[in-house]
Amino acid sequence: MSKGILTCREKEVFELLVLNKTTKEIAEDLNISEKTVRNHISNAMQKLGVKGRASAVVELLKLKEISL
């Protein structure tokens, strides 16, 4: 996987996830629906080749796509 594969929005969603925000809170913060938040997470996990949000966060941290 190459760096920078996630869209800006997918990255934003994960940046909020690592702040321990819920899907509902992320949706409110970004002014999008909860379903859209879940779609962004799902798409990112597929691109990263992982199963689960935690694994996706670990991969994104390793790739320096997001930080804590």
Side-chain angles (χ1 to χ4, degrees):
M1 196 199 95
S2 64
K3 278 191 170 189
I5 197 160
L6 296 189
T7 64
C8 289
R9 191 57 116 181
E10 289 164 352
K11 210 165 143 178
E12 272 181 302
V13 167
F14 276 93
E15 284 167 350
L16 293 169
L17 262 183
V18 297
L19 296 176
N20 213 23
K21 297 224 177 203
T22 64
T23 303
K24 185 175 197 243
E25 289 168 334
I26 294 169
E28 288 168 0
D29 286 359
L30 299 178
N31 203 25
I32 57 179
S33 74
E34 288 182 60
K35 181 164 181 13
T36 302
V37 172
R38 286 191 295 273
N39 286 342
H40 285 313
I41 293 167
S42 188
N43 292 340
M45 289 189 316
Q46 198 170 11
K47 288 177 188 179
L48 293 164
V50 297
K51 295 190 191 305
R53 295 176 179 201
S55 299
V57 167
V58 169
E59 279 305 307
L60 291 170
L61 288 168
K62 281 185 196 170
L63 295 166
K64 298 191 179 1
E65 285 282 319
I66 60 171
S67 58
L68 292 175

